[in-house]
DNA sequence: GCGCTTTGTCCGGGGGATTGACAAAGTAGT
DNA sequence: ACTACTTTGTCAATCCCCCGGACAAAGCGC
């Protein structure tokens, strides 16, 4: 029996941290709320909640915001999160452009700066990251919580970029580099996984325990949240569905094999197969119902639908959200996805599965990077 | 924000239970071991370990078994689990035969009884379960821990059988019924999931954090362990890969759709496609290299390999074990599975993925039912 | 005005992990 | 054989922090 990390003790400090994160989450999710309500929701005593809220108020993370209506007794004092109590530096390392921004605790972006990558080598690209961080950092008006980075490619759990798509980065320990250079906690993760966490944390009232977010753009990737946690798998490669072979007789992929999902369903692949000059033109002609491009778009949708059917069949995850530039293809594409996913999976399962349009989401990677950091530093999502 | 179960507090009692389970797991996995070693492994203090071990010894679950070699100081007293300190009643509700047995804490089966189902209706089948339990219970020589049941079909988390394959059981709350009738804790779960937990708990020195066990017999199903826990999904249907459509133009499945994995890869399907009189004959002719049946066997293997590629691509789980009667098909079949799984997934991923022959495993469901109960009652696997 | 509820806080109690000390029982060196 | 040093297991004291009860403040309904 070699592995023993699963033998990790529980301490009083952990109990405290858990309950502190619990109260913070309650404030975060349930808006202005009384201490008594938090106590009822969490099962903690009013005493403990009062103490934990006092801690949060001392840290400036929460504040009393007046009284609520009485329900037959003393009217409660409502406590709310101070959304701007902390600032997060977020980065989206796109394939051609790097973007940095500031975000508050709600993922509201304020200062956005971009830098073009054109022609820079790996070292210079890292320099660009540093410059962007220094640049937006000057605009911060509340204490910095840390740096969150989303990037294409494979990133392992400690924030080392295994390989980047079109940079000569290999085994670059970016999280550690950023922590040392800027003196702040840093998180680096794959962009699809960031997108999943953004959808989970900022996605509205529903917060499904299990959620798969599929990002379809230049590549095809997924972020998988299981039991309220991002799932990484044995090699932090979970969600790399773009290179599952869907058609062994298909065309060659840049990964060297034939018929990967990306060769059928990624934006460049669909544009090439449809023979249009640009993706914009493809969207226009798809919307117009052009018969010369529709079959290609539908085939791409069906390929994604089949992949979803495989996922839902195996995992029984009922919440699927699709984001990325490809969502501009609209109804025909989504219908193809839903039809194929439904046709290929068990009836009751297909009936309850929701495949949602998450939009093109230019900011989804920035938001995801922010969500990653909030999760890590404040425990805003479950992590134990 | 409707769902609030994720806001569950941590208490001192939970901390204690967690650490108690921790010590038990250490004894279970690491054999006779000193209190000091357990303290080092878990991070607990020697004081706490001593106290927790004393609790276990008082309950009869552990005992001192002499002294170990000195490493420069006082020689340690070794503590070991008493394998026979408790008895578990396990059941395998097969499609034609029900089997009951007693198991100790190591999953060693002692008293085995079977009952044929032939012609009984749903109510009589439940009676048979009761009789079998009463029957083996008389042979128990140590305190009973509870009842574990493995069954085909869909079972939800509270032990209610949603639908059974060839019994007229629908929404039968079997776990509750057994608890009331026999006055013991009861766990009911799908047989593939039971098999997964058996492989995880009793599978030897390796205990992978993530593990997929695929059971190929009369049906095709999977049990999925992620982060040391069985994963159920949103509707406790995770692992139902038998009805993912792999060939939309394939033959009709009993579920009503066409080309499900089961129509290609289950034992009855392969026997039918090969045209042999029995599965035994198919195995013999496959082993002999008969060209008339090999293509069918290889096609079945490739279908499973493709399904595995989809799973590993999505989840990056590197440990796959295949169990069930179909494993008797041996090397040709396994080679087809491994080749296809490798061909359809990313290079580095495929290289590290191990697809292991878990054997035909007549007892795997019984062992799994035992493992389920040990997990639930003693916390022998991670559950928080 | 009076009784009842609800809220938030204060205080004592207790569970349980931690720390430090110490005796027991080894090994290694001289 | 004697001394110095280690390691182990346990005991007592301490500390962290959750809990339960009590109580004042402040509302509601009659």
């Amino acid at each position: 029996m070699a592995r023993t990390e699963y033998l990790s003790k529980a301490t009083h400090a952990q109990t405290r941290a858990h309950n502190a994160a619990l109260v913070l989450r309650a404030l975060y999710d349930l808006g202005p709320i009384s201490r008594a309500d938090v106590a009822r929701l969490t099962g903690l005593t009013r005493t403990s909640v009062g103490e934990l809220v006092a801690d949060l108020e001392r840290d400036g993370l929460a504040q009393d915001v007046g009284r609520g209506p009485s329900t037959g007794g003393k009217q409660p004092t409502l406590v709310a999160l101070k959304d701007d109590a902390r600032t997060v530096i977020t980065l989206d390392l796109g394939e051609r452009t790097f973007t940095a921004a500031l975000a508050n605790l709600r993922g509201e972006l304020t200062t956005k700066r971009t830098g073009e990558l054109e022609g820079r080598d790996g070292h210079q690209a890292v320099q660009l990251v540093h410059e962007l961080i220094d640049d937006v950092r000057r605009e911060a008006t509340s204490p910095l919580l840390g740096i969150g980075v989303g990037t294409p490619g494979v990133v392992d759990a400690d924030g080392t970029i295994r390989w980047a798509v079109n940079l000569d980065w290999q085994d670059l320990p970016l999280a550690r580099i950023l922590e040392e250079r800027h003196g702040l906690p840093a998180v680096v993760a794959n962009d699809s996984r960031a997108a999943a966490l953004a959808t989970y944390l900022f996605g509205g009232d529903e917060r499904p325990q299990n959620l798969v977010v599929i990002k379809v753009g230049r590549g095809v990737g997924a972020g998988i949240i299981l039991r309220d946690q991002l799932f990484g798998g044995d090699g932090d490669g979970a969600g790399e569905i773009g290179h599952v072979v869907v058609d062994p007789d298909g065309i060659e992929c840049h990964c060297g094999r034939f018929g990967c999902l990306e060769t059928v369903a990624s934006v460049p692949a669909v544009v090439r197969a449809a023979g249009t000059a640009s993706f914009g033109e493809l969207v226009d002609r798809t919307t117009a119902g052009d018969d010369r491009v529709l079959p290609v778009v539908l085939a791409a949708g069906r390929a994604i639908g089949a992949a979803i059917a495989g996922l839902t069949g195996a995992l029984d995850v009922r919440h699927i959200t699709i984001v990325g530039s490809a969502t501009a293809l609209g109804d025909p594409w989504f219908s193809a996805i839903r039809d194929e996913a439904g046709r290929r999976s068990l009836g009751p399962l297909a009936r309850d599965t929701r495949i949602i349009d998450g939009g093109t989401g230019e900011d989804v990677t920035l938001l995801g990077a922010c969500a990653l950091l909030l999760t890590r530093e404040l425990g805003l999502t479950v992590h134990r």
Side-chain angles (χ1 to χ4, degrees), chain A:
Chain A
M1 191 73 46
R3 190 173 58 88
T4 55
E5 319 97 70
Y6 69 104
L7 294 172
S8 66
K9 66 175 172 181
T11 70
H12 284 167
Q14 283 174 34
T15 304
R16 181 66 158 187
H18 177 95
N19 288 337
L22 213 61
V23 172
L24 186 62
R25 282 207 291 278
L27 295 182
Y28 194 87
D29 289 345
L30 304 165
I33 186 175
S34 72
R35 290 165 174 80
D37 278 343
V38 173
R40 265 188 295 272
L41 279 165
T42 59
L44 292 165
T45 57
R46 293 202 306 273
T47 309
S48 298
V49 173
E51 198 176 316
L52 291 166
V53 168
D55 286 353
L56 291 175
E57 293 188 332
R58 187 167 27 71
D59 293 342
L61 281 165
Q63 70 190 132
D64 284 8
V65 291
R67 321 293 295 263
S70 161
T71 59
K74 174 178 171 180
Q75 57 187 2
T77 56
L78 299 180
V79 185
L81 195 76
K82 285 172 73 173
D83 294 348
D84 296 316
R86 297 287 188 277
T87 300
V88 175
I89 299 175
T90 65
L91 287 103
D92 175 1
L93 308 186
E95 304 207 354
R96 296 183 197 143
T97 308
F98 286 3
T99 308
L102 296 180
N104 70 0
L105 298 180
R106 295 285 175 193
E108 291 159 354
L109 303 174
T110 47
T111 309
K112 207 187 283 189
R113 300 288 153 77
T114 61
E116 296 304 318
L117 201 51
E118 46 185 13
R120 296 179 196 248
D121 64 16
H123 179 71
Q124 291 168 327
V126 175
Q127 286 308 313
L128 177 57
V129 171
H130 288 321
E131 287 164 24
L132 285 167
I133 291 173
D134 290 337
D135 208 4
V136 297
R137 181 174 191 163
R138 277 189 285 274
E139 308 295 326
T141 55
S142 68
L144 290 162
L145 208 56
I147 304 167
V149 182
T151 172
V154 176
V155 185
D156 62 19
D158 68 356
T160 301
I161 297 179
R162 285 279 161 246
W163 49 267
V165 180
N166 53 355
L167 283 167
D168 49 348
W169 284 350
Q170 35 193 346
D171 292 346
L172 180 79
L174 187 60
R176 193 170 55 71
I177 290 171
L178 295 179
E179 287 183 350
E180 288 174 3
R181 166 77 151 71
H182 299 277
L184 291 169
V187 181
V188 182
N190 172 275
D191 56 350
S192 296
R193 248 177 284 178
L197 205 59
T199 305
Y200 174 84
L201 191 60
F202 303 128
D205 284 349
E206 289 272 320
R207 188 164 299 168
Q209 191 182 23
N210 303 302
L211 168 69
V212 172
V213 174
I214 300 178
K215 193 176 176 196
V216 187
R218 188 164 293 277
V220 179
I224 301 174
I225 288 173
L226 304 176
R227 288 205 201 95
D228 298 304
Q229 282 181 284
L230 263 180
F231 182 76
D234 287 322
D236 295 303
E240 292 290 325
I241 59 173
H243 297 281
V244 170
V245 175
V246 295
D247 175 14
D249 304 323
I251 62 175
E252 187 169 7
C253 179
H254 63 83
C255 76
R257 287 188 342 288
F258 292 82
C260 295
L261 181 57
E262 281 199 5
T263 66
V264 182
S266 73
V267 165
V270 180
V271 169
R272 194 178 320 119
T276 58
S278 70
F279 181 58
E281 184 193 334
L282 178 62
V283 171
D284 292 343
R285 286 171 62 176
T286 301
T287 316
D290 185 333
D291 282 346
R292 282 167 300 179
V293 303
L294 263 180
V296 174
V297 169
L298 298 186
R302 283 196 302 271
I304 291 175
I308 290 176
L311 266 175
T312 54
L315 294 176
D316 192 14
V317 168
R318 310 275 169 101
H319 293 85
I320 313 279
T321 298
I322 300 181
V323 301
S325 52
T327 58
L329 289 168
D331 260 357
W333 188 68
F334 271 103
S335 295
I337 292 174
R338 294 195 179 101
D339 288 351
E340 190 70 10
R343 209 144 49 82
R344 281 181 179 253
S345 55
L346 272 176
L349 204 148
R351 203 169 34 249
D352 294 335
T353 301
R354 295 278 169 269
I355 299 177
I356 293 171
D357 180 358
T360 54
E362 291 81 9
D363 290 337
V364 77
T365 302
L366 288 172
L367 294 176
C370 173
L372 278 164
L373 201 83
L374 293 175
T375 296
R376 173 90 77 82
E377 295 301 314
L378 297 181
L380 269 187
T381 67
V382 184
H383 59 147
R384 179 156 91 166

